[in-house]
Amino acid sequence: MIPQGTSLIGQKAVTGGQAVIRTIDPATGVPIAPDYPGLDPEEVARACRLAWEAFDDYRESSLEARASFLETIAAEIEALGDALIERGMAETGLPQARLEGERGRTCGQLRLFASVVRAGEWLDVRIDPAQPERQPMPRVDLRQRHVALGPVGVFGASNFPLAFSVAGGDTASALAAGCPVVVKAHAAHPGTSELVGRAVQAAVAECELPEGVFSLLFGAGNEIGQALVADPHIQAVGFTGSRAGGLALMATAQARPQPIPVYAEMSSINPVFLLPEALKARGQDIASGFVASLNLGAGQFCTNPGLVIGVKGEALEAFVAAAGAVVQKSPAQTMLTPGIHAAYGDGVSQLAAVAREIARGVPAVGPHEGQSALFSARAADFLSSEALQAEVFGSSSLVIECEDLDEMRAVAEQLEGQLTITLQMDDADLEAARALLPTLERRAGRVLVNGWPTGVEVCHAMVHGGPFPATSDSRTTSVGSAAIRRFLRPVCYQNLPEGLLPEALRDDNPLNLSRLVDGKRE
Amino acid sequence: MIPQGTSLIGQKAVTGGQAVIRTIDPATGVPIAPDYPGLDPEEVARACRLAWEAFDDYRESSLEARASFLETIAAEIEALGDALIERGMAETGLPQARLEGERGRTCGQLRLFASVVRAGEWLDVRIDPAQPERQPMPRVDLRQRHVALGPVGVFGASNFPLAFSVAGGDTASALAAGCPVVVKAHAAHPGTSELVGRAVQAAVAECELPEGVFSLLFGAGNEIGQALVADPHIQAVGFTGSRAGGLALMATAQARPQPIPVYAEMSSINPVFLLPEALKARGQDIASGFVASLNLGAGQFCTNPGLVIGVKGEALEAFVAAAGAVVQKSPAQTMLTPGIHAAYGDGVSQLAAVAREIARGVPAVGPHEGQSALFSARAADFLSSEALQAEVFGSSSLVIECEDLDEMRAVAEQLEGQLTITLQMDDADLEAARALLPTLERRAGRVLVNGWPTGVEVCHAMVHGGPFPATSDSRTTSVGSAAIRRFLRPVCYQNLPEGLLPEALRDDNPLNLSRLVDGKRE
């Protein structure tokens, strides 16, 4: 299949008349055909209206039908074959193995949500049977299930052209919840987006679902995204991107006559705390593990370790020397877009102005290659400097030297909200770790020990979320099966006759669900 | 115990220096001593700081300790005895039986949350064990639990001086979640609030908890409430009140450097749909049930049935005549405050200007009595009139005549978000009910059949919530055990050594929790 340069509205391909997206191969700077004309505003509105019209039918589709749909999307994406991988490589500069892995993750994620839909835990059924004899007043029959919120607007991310894009985690979890999805494609990889969009479109047809269940919009600039969030038919938004972008969408969502939730995953520097005994015992190993995580994917991960905190002394000096030596040998890597590359350069320059340089990687050769960089600063300076605390998206990191464990805790306490915080620790560090843990829990969605934050497992226990400004809503996760909850709301049914009760709530439990009956798990 | 006119900050009683709250007995208009001087801003900040200082300890208190604390609050409230009921009657004009019932509900609610804390479902534990042999990459050990959000600001409501006030549902569910609470007392019943506040304060001391777990603030006007929501230590807000009040708090919460969730329960007209066969078969009974619900508590319930929708014809005319006859005989009742009484008068006048009057109740005698009122209008007019759709807080309702079932559905489709929607139906109405149900689910948090919306059971399956503008967050409930979720967020623990793992997540499951292991319920 060859990308056509069109938006997809329901089952139709639509060519807009607005400003054009023209992408390039970041490794060479050469433009890639076709151009993607921006969609006209009335077509954006039509996609949202179609989604609304599909909503009541789609949300009440059977669990089996919805699960099959998700599996069909996965199969259709796989059926795109090498064309998808090749297009992704050309548009993103990411290597083949990474994109093949990401495709596996994306399809695995869709299949995970299929199993989640079938298991039905997300319905969170609660039944409080009538108590006609209760004194002083009888209790009526009350039953609760969760229903889908409504059509969801999803924004593709630049850094995961498959797993956080057209059929990524936001789309998979919204579709699983019973919400039609309208995706705004990211301008950095339009062909990849269209190919995946056509796979979803084919799955909608194959599963005989209402066409409005899925649409894919292209548009240069912010207008289409703003129109999507402002559209009265859209009931929630999923976004992964910059803090400025997320804040703008939150403002638009709040300014609507009916405000709606925005799930924006925005920024994180993913601090790593080096506890003293671990640092002493295995500083070299930690240094090489750290730089490997830092350089992964040219540092273009939300969970890239942008901050390392240790107590000053010989062990930290040895760690810094070792990490610096690995950084120096790190080849520059092509970044995703000219914009991201330029922003990385600016960020590194700003850091260089306020921090001490430890090492730079091998200089760039290609047009959009990012050169690794490692800096250091004293904790006291970090605590008083916004520039030192800012996220630099790419393979740059900052080592913070603390006077002692108390100052380390002060640094932890002053951190902004994070997606992850990592502890490098040995058994002898247990007391120090215990003292830090309450702070880390308050500051991050995921706390890791002796691992690296890059690599976000798609499973049931994952939290890819965290306190503001890591995300707009710390009560949720955008990765893992709990992500479905973002698109649900509870409804209580009081005294409904059996003939009117939703299947999930019937006495005979035809869906075989785990249910809370009078507060007890059955 | 006699109210002293003080705020309570931790274990201390504090007298402010700001504008004074002076309440009256609404039945007589006579002022009630003592005055309540408004708290100074630095004392508001101190209460929030104390709450923050208490947070880490309190949120990690054992389930048993926290459950006992909630039970101790209930016992301390009961120990206030008749003094509380008498004070409540004087300040609100509500009858003794109502306040005794509400005290029972309040204490029952605290004990329900004690059982919820002990059962631990709210921790929502998920464990995905390590899979060291997995190909192509091993899986690390990942475990999720929920932790408390942080100190919560709670606003007492005017219409439930006990159950939605100082130790009401918001406070009980926030304390259950592990969040310290700072309450802003409602100015309509300050003495009642202080008495309950002292009961909570005593329970904090008795249970040897950090004093910052609870504070109670008094202040005239909106300044203290705004300061509470803006305080950086406050992490979530619970509010029951007017739409204007809720929207103002939402705006403040969103404008903070770190936005926080506001759970505002704001407005609802609780439509009742009279399906044709039920109306024909038992219109008289429905009419008397309706007016009884309308008049309950002088109509001062969030779930008061302010809208009744039927298809025109003889049966609806008979219903209207019967309901009108009961309204005519309904005595006027003292309302909660002069402000609420005046707003009710205004609302009824505005309705009278655009709707047809069916009946008025017995005229008022006392200074703040509300006279029942019933109006009617055609569906076509309702659909085009904001005035007809506005909530009138009090015992006034509006009957809407539809041309047919299609128009009834159009009315349902155009409703704003509601707390409740009720169907009066017989077996022969099943098809009509099925056609309406998808719309009703989208428009309300609770759907009732053959009951009345007043009377909100405190249990596990209840949803007292609904789409905006009924509440600010349709994903939640403010009544029932699921209310605890509003104050929680998930945290994932990756590869933590057993010595660092929270108890809820340990392999040996010492808390005996229901857990999701690899996605399967255990």
Side-chain angles (χ1 to χ4, degrees), chain A residues 296-339:
Chain A
L296 204 66
Q300 300 166 118
F301 288 116
C302 318
T303 53
N304 187 61
L307 194 71
V308 181
I309 303 107
V311 175
K312 73 173 183 186
E314 272 179 37
L316 186 61
E317 282 166 27
F319 165 85
V320 164
V326 190
V327 164
Q328 250 176 353
K329 282 182 251 157
S330 303
Q333 297 175 76
T334 298
M335 298 191 77
L336 291 159
T337 71

Side-chain angles (χ1 to χ4, degrees), chain B residues 173-458:
Chain B
S173 54
L175 290 176
C179 299
V181 168
V182 181
V183 177
K184 181 195 170 282
H186 197 283
H189 45 77
T192 312
S193 297
E194 188 196 332
L195 290 177
V196 174
R198 288 186 181 267
V200 182
Q201 195 185 46
V204 170
E206 200 174 325
C207 296
E208 298 179 347
L209 293 170
E211 62 167 343
V213 164
F214 176 81
S215 290
L216 174 64
L217 320 178
F218 287 93
N222 300 328
E223 289 80 4
I224 279 201
Q226 288 292 336
L228 180 60
V229 176
D231 189 283
H233 294 119
I234 296 297
Q235 296 298 302
V237 173
F239 169 85
T240 298
S242 69
R243 193 187 302 193
L247 292 176
L249 297 184
M250 287 166 69
T252 301
Q254 281 296 319
R256 292 166 47 119
Q258 175 221 7
I260 56 172
V262 171
Y263 303 106
E265 195 251 272
M266 296 184 286
S267 56
S268 184
I269 53 174
N270 305 294
V272 178
F273 288 85
L274 308 175
L275 295 192
E277 298 300 327
L279 191 60
K280 211 187 302 175
R282 49 191 178 86
Q284 296 276 341
D285 285 354
I286 295 174
S288 55
F290 159 61
V291 181
S293 176
L294 178 67
N295 284 336
L296 205 66
Q300 300 167 117
F301 289 115
C302 318
T303 53
N304 186 60
L307 195 70
V308 181
I309 303 107
V311 175
K312 73 173 185 187
E314 271 181 37
L316 186 61
E317 282 165 27
F319 166 84
V320 164
V326 190
V327 165
Q328 252 178 351
K329 281 180 252 159
S330 303
Q333 297 175 76
T334 298
M335 297 191 78
L336 290 158
T337 70
I340 288 173
H341 176 253
Y344 176 67
D346 291 348
V348 170
S349 300
Q350 282 160 26
L351 211 45
V354 288
R356 195 169 67 245
E357 180 176 316
I358 298 171
R360 301 268 186 149
V362 177
V365 181
H368 304 111
E369 287 183 359
Q371 180 188 18
S372 297
L374 187 62
F375 299 91
S376 73
R378 291 183 316 137
D381 295 333
F382 176 80
L383 289 171
S384 61
S385 162
E386 277 192 32
L388 287 172
Q389 294 178 33
E391 182 184 15
V392 178
F393 191 72
S395 54
S396 161
S397 193
L398 176 65
V399 180
I400 299 297
E401 299 166 7
C402 303
E403 293 295 318
D404 50 29
L405 284 173
D406 282 348
E407 195 174 34
M408 185 181 265
R409 219 160 126 185
V411 169
E413 202 55 62
Q414 188 156 327
L415 291 169
E416 289 191 313
Q418 303 289 337
L419 294 173
T420 72
I421 298 183
T422 300
L423 284 176
Q424 295 291 340
M425 62 175 282
D426 281 357
D427 287 348
D429 292 310
L430 200 58
E431 281 316 304
R434 277 204 190 113
L436 271 173
L437 191 60
T439 305
L440 308 188
E441 284 173 341
R442 273 195 273 99
R443 291 284 179 258
R446 177 162 55 114
V447 177
L448 303 77
V449 170
N450 296 339
W452 299 99
T454 46
V456 181
E457 184 73 34
V458 180

Side-chain angles (χ1 to χ4, degrees), chain A residues 56 59 121 124 128 134 145 263 441-442 444 446-447 457 460-461 475 485 489 493-494 521, chain B residues 56 59 121 124 128 134 145 263 441-442 444 446 457 460-461 475 485 489 493-494 521:
Chain A
D56 274 348
R59 73 181 171 91
E121 283 277 341
D124 193 16
D128 294 326
R134 190 182 66 171
R145 69 165 179 168
Y263 303 105
E441 285 173 339
R442 273 195 273 100
R446 177 162 56 114
V447 177
E457 184 74 34
H460 302 282
R475 297 162 295 176
R485 293 209 177 136
R489 46 174 278 263
Y493 301 83
Q494 177 172 326
R521 176 70 57 189
Chain B
D56 274 349
R59 74 183 171 92
E121 283 277 340
D124 194 16
D128 294 327
R134 190 182 65 170
R145 68 163 180 168
Y263 303 106
E441 284 173 341
R442 273 195 273 99
R446 177 162 55 114
E457 184 73 34
H460 303 282
R475 297 163 295 175
R485 294 208 175 136
R489 46 174 277 263
Y493 302 83
Q494 178 172 327
R521 177 70 55 188

Side-chain angles (χ1 to χ4, degrees), chain A residues 108-391:
Chain A
Q109 189 162 254
L110 287 158
R111 294 187 173 109
L112 173 72
F113 277 108
S115 75
V116 166
V117 169
R118 286 195 183 95
E121 283 277 341
W122 58 275
L123 283 158
D124 193 16
V125 170
R126 295 162 167 240
I127 298 183
D128 294 326
Q131 296 176 347
E133 312 298 329
R134 190 182 66 171
Q135 293 300 331
M137 292 221 302
R139 185 172 81 182
V140 290
D141 182 271
L142 292 154
R143 299 170 189 236
Q144 183 188 124
R145 69 165 179 168
H146 279 66
V147 300
L149 272 184
V152 172
V154 169
F155 288 74
S158 64
N159 61 339
F160 279 88
L162 301 172
F164 284 78
S165 197
V166 178
D170 286 340
T171 297
S173 54
L175 290 177
C179 299
V181 168
V182 181
V183 177
K184 181 196 170 281
H186 198 282
H189 46 78
T192 311
S193 297
E194 187 195 331
L195 289 177
V196 174
R198 286 185 182 269
V200 182
Q201 196 184 44
V204 170
E206 201 174 325
C207 296
E208 299 180 345
L209 293 170
E211 62 168 343
V213 164
F214 176 80
S215 290
L216 173 64
L217 320 178
F218 288 94
N222 300 329
E223 289 78 4
I224 279 200
Q226 288 293 335
L228 180 60
V229 176
D231 189 283
H233 294 119
I234 296 296
Q235 297 298 303
V237 173
F239 169 87
T240 299
S242 70
R243 194 187 303 194
L247 293 176
L249 298 184
M250 286 166 70
T252 301
Q254 281 295 321
R256 291 165 49 119
Q258 174 221 6
I260 56 173
V262 172
Y263 303 105
E265 194 251 272
M266 297 185 285
S267 57
S268 183
I269 52 175
N270 305 294
V272 178
F273 288 86
L274 308 175
L275 297 193
E277 298 301 328
L279 191 60
K280 211 186 303 173
R282 48 190 179 88
Q284 296 274 342
D285 287 353
I286 295 174
S288 55
F290 158 62
V291 182
S293 177
L294 178 67
N295 284 336
L296 204 66
Q300 300 166 118
F301 288 116
C302 318
T303 53
N304 187 61
L307 194 71
V308 181
I309 303 107
V311 175
K312 73 173 183 186
E314 272 179 37
L316 186 61
E317 282 166 27
F319 165 85
V320 164
V326 190
V327 164
Q328 250 176 353
K329 282 182 251 157
S330 303
Q333 297 175 76
T334 298
M335 298 191 77
L336 291 159
T337 71
I340 288 173
H341 176 254
Y344 176 66
D346 291 349
V348 171
S349 301
Q350 282 159 27
L351 212 45
V354 289
R356 194 169 67 244
E357 180 176 316
I358 298 170
R360 302 269 187 149
V362 177
V365 181
H368 304 111
E369 287 183 358
Q371 180 188 19
S372 296
L374 187 61
F375 299 91
S376 73
R378 291 184 314 140
D381 295 333
F382 176 81
L383 289 172
S384 61
S385 162
E386 276 192 31
L388 288 171
Q389 295 177 33
E391 181 184 15

